[in-house]
């Protein structure tokens, strides 16, 4: 069995990584790319398979299943009761052995996803990114992600996927590789019941071959061998043998506990061991007079020789969601006025002692607990159990609120309308950003963590805080094109609060609008319309801005589907709401007037379009760069239709300048494409130059689909 402790089993690797590996800091998903050229030197890029001391019979059974079913899709479930049963190590060993025997057995690659640390929906999206799907093309709709994954050429070419610790077969199902020659290894302490699946899910896996492996506990002999290997001790005399026997008996055949006890011996050797005998010191702490009856290694407060202050920080950090975090999070959780240098020094001690894993990404230090079991080693003190998660939420809200005000100044929030917030006032003044770029960078490094923070808040029942966090994150998600994050974060929140009194209808309406916009990006008109119509229902009787926003969302869908008359009618109704407010919200009025004008333009009613677009321009505030860009673009499109090309080009220039201020390169590319279309007949050479500028902008934004379309036009 494995000699690798659950505490550090996710930190190792074997040889060089070929392909992509994402471990610890964002998602526990790994890929080794086997679909390389004939001369490529392949390497196993997943987590390290451990040395084994037993379980040859289960391994033989599993290997036989792989060899006998090369032309089929095989699902191998590996089960062991309780935490630390060794299923993860077994699965990794099986995949590595397969890799060593035939490095081209799975052309699509080897994958590992740890569902004990990741949400399944988020993990499917990350699989697509690992396979080269660009952000703009990753569907916001979870069902479409699953379909895209299983249609991809790499997935269908034959892959090996290890799914670790799913709580149910429903969680594991999206990762089942069903193409011929594929393998799915599902490991954990839960047995699956296929009778819980619906008819359509059963249809998806009807051609899969199933094999089950159950791992029993270690024998005393094997547990002793594993303990000695892991602890790196030599037994000398009856006294040592008796101490080792105590550890083995206490582990009761559980390899995770064997590894934990051995880790305590290593800790004594590295950080304590005043008497020079780490085995005796670890035994005294576990079984001596000071030991707490019934406590296992991961339950004890003296882990890894931490001081009280160091352990106290680990306890605080353990209440952060199981995701990566920065030094500023530690500063927020420690006492006010903590020096960031001091906080980093404490974090580095936790890294040194094997509690945290440290990475550097985007110029920022990030930390994460090395394993899930390591995080559970530090349960909260009773008086902190409720307070700390709320402080964590307030920390991220402060960042997102400051970014919201920089990215979309003037955009209304629900608390602006009703004066109620689940967060303390200080959270809205705790942070500030000097520039748009600074705001976006601050949220970019937290991107994956922010979704996890919302999901954990929903599970913990902090629905109001989760909703407010989603509301202030919208400008970042929208301007960055992260519509997958919108759906991943908001869908569980909406499910948890639908038909309840956990959130007021007005706030739910705003979240439905944001979700509708995310589905529009997918061109999923049916779901987008459903969300917008629900938003409109929830807005009944609420503040006029709430109803206006829901009408806006529904009108946008009408316009997307080419129903310009219906769209202009909804926009006109929203305009009347904006005009009747006291006081008038100039930003809301501007948006509705402009959109009504664009709808008239789409229907060919140029005079009506001009009146409204010019009026919208007069309503603009100086610092609203997003709406200024869109107004320039709308007026430019109008001038093209009127044959006033020189004026149109000036307006397009204004749109480009405003989009650049926001760092929105994709929309910069859109404007250059519009300029090229406008110039195509009068000056084809100039139009071609505009397309090249569009291509540069799309490539900077990593908008692969748009860049490909422009390249095709330039080539033609």
């Amino acid at each position: 069995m494995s000699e690798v402790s659950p505490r550090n089993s996710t930190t190792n690797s074997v040889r060089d990584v070929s392909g992509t590996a994402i471990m610890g800091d964002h998602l526990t998903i790994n890929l080794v790319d086997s679909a390389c050229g004939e001369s490529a030197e392949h390497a196993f890029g997943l987590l390290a398979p451990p040395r084994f001391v037993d379980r040859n019979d289960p391994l033989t059974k599993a290997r036989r299943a792989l060899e006998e079913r090369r032309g089929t899709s095989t699902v191998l479930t590996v089960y062991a009761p309780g935490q630390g049963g060794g299923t993860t190590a077994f699965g990794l060993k099986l995949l590595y052995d397969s890799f060593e025997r035939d490095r081209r057995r799975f052309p699509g690659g080897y994958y590992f996803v740890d569902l004990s640390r990741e949400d399944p929906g988020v993990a499917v999206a990350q699989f697509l990114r690992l396979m080269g799907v660009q952000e703009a093309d990753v569907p916001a709709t979870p069902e479409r992600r699953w379909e895209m994954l299983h249609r991809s050429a790499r997935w269908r070419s034959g892959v090996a996927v290890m799914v670790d610790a799913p709580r149910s077969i429903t969680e594991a199902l999206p990762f089942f590789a069903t193409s011929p020659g594929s393998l799915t290894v599902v490991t954990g302490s839960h047995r699956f019941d296929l009778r819980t699946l619906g008819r359509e899910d059963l249809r998806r896996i009807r051609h899969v071959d199933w094999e089950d492996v159950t791992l029993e506990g270690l024998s005393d002999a094997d547990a002793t061998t594993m303990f000695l290997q892991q602890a790196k001790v030599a037994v000398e005399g009856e006294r040592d043998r008796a101490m080792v026997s105590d550890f083995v008996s206490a582990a009761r055949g559980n390899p995770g506990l064997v590894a934990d006890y051995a880790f305590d011996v290593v800790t004594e050797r590295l950080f304590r061991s005043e008497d020079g005998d780490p085995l005796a010191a670890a035994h005294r702490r576990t079984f001596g007079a000071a030991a707490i009856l019934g406590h296992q290694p991961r339950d004890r407060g003296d882990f890894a020789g931490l001081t009280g202050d160091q352990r106290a920080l680990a306890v605080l950090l353990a209440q952060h969601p199981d995701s990566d975090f920065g030094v500023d999070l530690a500063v927020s959780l420690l006492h006010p006025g903590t020096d960031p240098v001091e906080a980093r020094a404490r974090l580095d001690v936790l890294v040194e002692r094997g509690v945290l894993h440290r990475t550097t990404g985007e110029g920022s230090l990030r930390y994460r607990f090395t394993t899930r079991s390591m995080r559970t080693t530090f349960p909260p003190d009773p008086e902190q159990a409720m307070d700390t998660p709320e402080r964590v939420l307030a920390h991220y809200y402060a960042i997102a609120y400051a970014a919201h005000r920089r990215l979309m100044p003037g955009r209304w929030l629900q608390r602006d309308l009703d004066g109620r917030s689940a967060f303390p006032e200080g959270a809205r003044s705790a942070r500030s950003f000097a520039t748009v770029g600074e705001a976006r960078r601050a949220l970019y490094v937290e991107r994956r963590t922010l979704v996890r923070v919302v999901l954990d808040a929903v599970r913990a029942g902090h629905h109001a805080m989760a909703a407010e966090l989603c509301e202030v994150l919208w400008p970042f998600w929208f301007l960055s094109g992260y519509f997958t994050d919108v759906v991943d974060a908001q869908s569980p929140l909406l499910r948890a609060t639908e038909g309840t009194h956990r959130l007021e209808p007005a706030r739910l309406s705003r979240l439905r609008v944001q979700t509708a916009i995310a589905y529009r990006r997918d061109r999923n008109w049916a779901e987008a319309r459903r969300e917008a119509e629900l938003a409109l229902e929830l807005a009944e009787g609420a503040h006029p801005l709430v109803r206006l926003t829901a009408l806006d969302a529904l009108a946008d869908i009408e316009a997307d589907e080419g129903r310009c008359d219906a769209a202009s009618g909804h926009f006109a109704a929203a305009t009347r709401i904006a005009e009747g407010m006291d006081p008038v919200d100039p930003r809301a009025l501007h948006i509705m007037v402009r959109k009504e004008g664009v709808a008239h333009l789409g229907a060919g009613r140029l005079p009506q379009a001009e009146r409204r677009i010019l009026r919208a321009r007069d309503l603009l505030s100086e610092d609203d760069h997003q709406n200024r860009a869109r107004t320039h673009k709308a007026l430019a499109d109008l001038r093209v239709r009127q044959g006033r090309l020189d004026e149109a080009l000036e307006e397009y220039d204004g749109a480009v300048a405003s989009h650049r201020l926001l760092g929105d390169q994709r929309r910069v590319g859109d404007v250059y494409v519009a300029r090229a279309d406008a110039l195509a007949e009068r000056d084809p050479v100039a139009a071609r130059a505009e397309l090249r500028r569009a291509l540069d902008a799309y490539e900077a934004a990593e908008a692969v689909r748009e860049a490909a379309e422009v390249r095709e036009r330039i080539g033609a």
Side-chain angles (χ1 to χ4, degrees):
M1 187 48 226
S2 166
E3 65 163 315
V4 178
S5 165
R7 287 173 174 158
N8 61 15
S9 62
T10 62
T11 62
N12 300 319
S13 59
V14 174
R15 304 181 182 176
D16 297 326
V17 174
S18 172
T20 305
I22 297 181
M23 305 168 52
D25 56 337
H26 285 152
L27 287 176
T28 311
I29 296 177
N30 304 308
L31 157 69
V32 56
D33 187 356
S34 296
C36 304
E38 287 297 318
S39 62
E41 174 63 28
H42 301 309
F44 191 75
L46 305 188
L47 307 181
R51 286 180 291 181
F52 270 53
V53 298
D54 79 324
R55 295 183 170 171
N56 291 323
D57 289 344
L59 273 173
T60 299
K61 177 182 179 181
R63 289 167 181 160
R64 185 182 302 118
L66 263 65
E67 292 306 313
E68 292 176 353
R69 297 171 175 148
R70 281 180 170 263
T72 65
S73 168
T74 302
V75 173
L76 179 70
T77 59
V78 183
Y79 164 79
Q83 182 181 349
T87 58
T88 303
F90 184 94
L92 290 169
K93 171 71 172 172
L94 180 66
L95 289 184
Y96 183 67
D97 287 353
S98 171
F99 173 79
E100 284 288 85
R101 287 195 302 274
D102 182 358
R103 297 193 174 196
R104 301 190 182 279
R105 167 70 190 275
F106 300 105
Y110 291 75
Y111 299 83
F112 173 90
V113 57
D114 183 352
L115 291 183
S116 72
R117 310 192 77 181
E118 199 51 69
D119 178 80
V122 176
V124 174
Q126 186 61 12
F127 263 112
L128 291 172
R129 296 183 187 102
L130 286 173
M131 290 182 164
V133 178
Q134 296 301 310
E135 185 65 46
D137 295 322
V138 177
T141 312
E143 294 78 9
R144 292 190 178 187
R145 293 181 206 172
W146 185 352
E147 292 169 2
M148 178 179 282
L149 176 65
H150 287 262
R151 286 199 313 266
S152 69
R154 183 194 291 271
W155 193 265
R156 294 174 70 85
S157 68
V159 295
V161 184
M162 179 170 160
V163 186
D164 195 29
R167 286 171 288 246
S168 67
I169 190 171
T170 304
E171 282 196 349
L173 199 59
F175 310 101
F176 279 16
T178 54
S179 59
S182 290
L183 168 69
T184 308
V185 180
V186 186
T187 57
S189 58
H190 294 283
R191 288 195 182 277
F192 288 154
D193 186 351
L194 294 179
R195 294 170 297 183
T196 62
L197 292 177
R199 184 183 301 274
E200 180 60 25
D201 288 337
L202 286 171
R203 187 193 65 78
R204 292 175 186 267
I205 58 174
R206 67 186 183 278
H207 299 307
V208 167
D209 281 348
W210 293 80
E211 189 73 48
D212 179 71
V213 173
T214 299
L215 302 183
E216 306 295 342
L218 298 176
S219 68
D220 285 352
D222 289 328
T224 300
T225 300
M226 177 182 171
F227 179 85
L228 294 175
Q229 287 180 348
Q230 182 76 10
K232 296 179 174 61
V233 295
V235 175
E236 298 178 358
E238 189 61 34
R239 175 173 173 269
D240 284 357
R241 280 192 289 273
M243 288 189 289
V244 171
S245 178
D246 285 343
F247 283 119
V248 169
S249 296
R252 299 184 300 279
N254 183 292
L257 285 177
V258 172
D260 278 349
Y261 285 128
F263 188 80
D264 282 349
V265 177
V266 173
T267 297
E268 291 292 342
R269 181 183 298 114
L270 294 175
F271 302 117
R272 291 188 283 256
S273 63
E274 294 88 353
D275 59 3
D277 188 346
L279 177 62
H283 186 273
R284 190 163 51 250
R285 288 180 180 274
T286 303
F287 303 106
I292 301 175
L293 185 64
H295 274 216
Q296 296 177 347
R298 63 175 61 91
D299 298 321
R300 295 201 304 269
D302 62 350
F303 172 75
L306 298 177
T307 66
D309 286 346
Q310 291 161 353
R311 177 175 173 79
L313 176 58
V315 169
L316 291 172
L317 295 173
Q319 295 179 77
H320 182 274
D322 192 8
S323 185
D324 60 300
F325 52 85
V327 176
D328 60 343
L329 185 276
V331 171
S332 293
L333 294 181
L334 292 169
H335 57 80
T338 299
D339 185 346
V341 175
E342 178 190 346
R344 177 177 170 180
R346 292 198 199 182
L347 291 170
D348 288 343
V349 170
L350 296 179
V351 171
E352 175 192 354
R353 302 298 168 88
V355 176
L356 300 179
H357 170 69
R358 180 178 56 219
T359 60
T360 303
E362 300 297 323
S364 175
L365 283 174
R366 306 292 292 175
Y367 300 84
R368 187 177 187 177
F369 281 92
T370 51
T371 64
R372 178 176 59 94
S373 63
M374 175 62 73
R375 181 168 168 260
T376 61
T377 301
F378 300 95
D381 297 329
E383 62 270 20
Q384 296 175 331
M386 291 298 295
D387 176 60
T388 303
E390 293 186 0
R391 290 169 63 197
V392 168
L393 280 162
H395 167 78
Y396 289 108
Y397 177 81
I399 301 171
Y401 183 86
H404 181 283
R405 289 310 188 202
R406 177 57 63 184
L407 295 174
M408 283 190 181
R411 177 179 181 260
W412 67 270
L413 296 170
Q414 186 61 36
R415 68 165 298 276
D416 300 328
L417 305 183
D418 58 25
R420 295 193 297 272
S421 174
F423 291 99
E425 190 65 36
R428 287 181 287 281
S429 57
R431 298 289 292 265
S432 64
F433 297 108
T435 65
V436 166
E438 183 184 341
R440 292 182 75 162
R441 285 192 296 273
L443 289 179
Y444 180 77
V445 297
E446 305 283 6
R447 181 189 170 190
R448 299 295 171 209
T449 296
L450 288 165
V451 173
R452 189 60 185 263
V453 165
V454 174
L455 294 176
D456 276 31
V458 174
R459 294 188 188 108
H462 298 301
H463 301 107
M465 285 183 155
E468 283 192 70
L469 186 53
C470 288
E471 194 180 6
V472 295
L473 281 170
W474 171 254
F476 170 66
W477 286 337
F478 177 76
L479 293 173
S480 303
Y482 296 151
F483 294 106
T484 55
D485 296 7
V486 176
V487 173
D488 289 341
Q490 294 187 176
S491 293
L493 174 57
L494 291 169
R495 285 196 298 270
T497 54
E498 190 172 28
T500 72
H501 297 288
R502 292 169 177 167
L503 284 179
E504 60 271 28
R507 196 175 293 282
L508 283 170
S509 178
R510 190 66 176 279
L511 296 179
R512 292 284 183 192
V513 166
Q514 293 181 178
T515 306
I517 295 171
Y519 285 137
R520 281 179 58 215
R521 196 289 304 264
D522 275 3
R523 297 179 175 84
N524 187 348
W525 312 127
E527 287 297 320
R529 181 178 291 278
R530 174 183 176 275
E531 293 293 327
E533 289 174 345
L534 284 170
L536 195 56
E537 288 179 22
L538 290 163
E540 190 67 36
H543 190 283
L545 277 175
V546 179
R547 182 166 175 78
L548 178 151
T549 302
L551 272 171
D552 177 24
L554 187 55
D556 280 336
I557 296 164
E558 301 286 9
D560 288 342
E561 295 189 295
R563 291 192 283 270
C564 295
D565 289 338
S568 62
H570 287 316
F571 286 132
T575 297
R576 290 192 293 273
I577 291 174
E579 290 172 332
M581 289 173 54
D582 185 19
V584 170
D585 184 319
R587 185 177 187 273
L589 180 58
H590 156 81
I591 293 172
M592 294 306 101
V593 172
R594 187 194 73 236
K595 287 189 171 185
E596 187 183 352
V598 172
H600 282 300
L601 181 61
R605 296 187 287 268
L606 302 190
Q608 295 94 321
E610 182 169 32
R611 284 196 299 273
R612 287 161 178 79
I613 294 172
L614 290 176
R615 182 190 177 196
R617 184 183 62 182
D618 294 339
L619 291 166
L620 272 170
S621 64
E622 285 298 322
D623 60 352
D624 191 349
H625 302 300
Q626 181 198 19
N627 283 310
R628 185 167 294 280
R630 294 183 174 199
T631 304
H632 279 304
K633 173 67 163 53
L635 190 52
D637 292 342
L638 172 66
R639 296 305 184 212
V640 169
R641 295 280 295 274
Q642 292 172 329
R644 298 157 65 175
L645 185 56
D646 291 337
E647 294 175 55
L649 296 176
E650 290 181 12
E651 297 294 341
Y652 284 134
D653 287 341
V656 166
S658 294
H659 282 314
R660 286 196 192 283
L661 283 172
L662 291 170
D664 195 339
Q665 289 294 325
R666 186 177 67 80
R667 287 183 174 82
V668 168
D670 292 343
V671 176
Y672 279 129
V673 169
R675 282 177 62 95
D677 292 339
L679 286 165
E681 290 188 14
R682 189 177 81 175
D683 191 344
V685 174
R688 195 178 186 84
E690 299 294 342
L691 289 175
R692 291 196 180 93
R693 294 187 183 97
L695 180 59
D696 291 341
Y698 285 142
E699 289 178 340
E702 297 183 352
V704 176
R705 181 177 54 206
E706 291 86 349
E709 291 172 355
V710 171
R711 282 195 202 94
E712 185 175 351
R713 288 184 61 178
I714 292 173

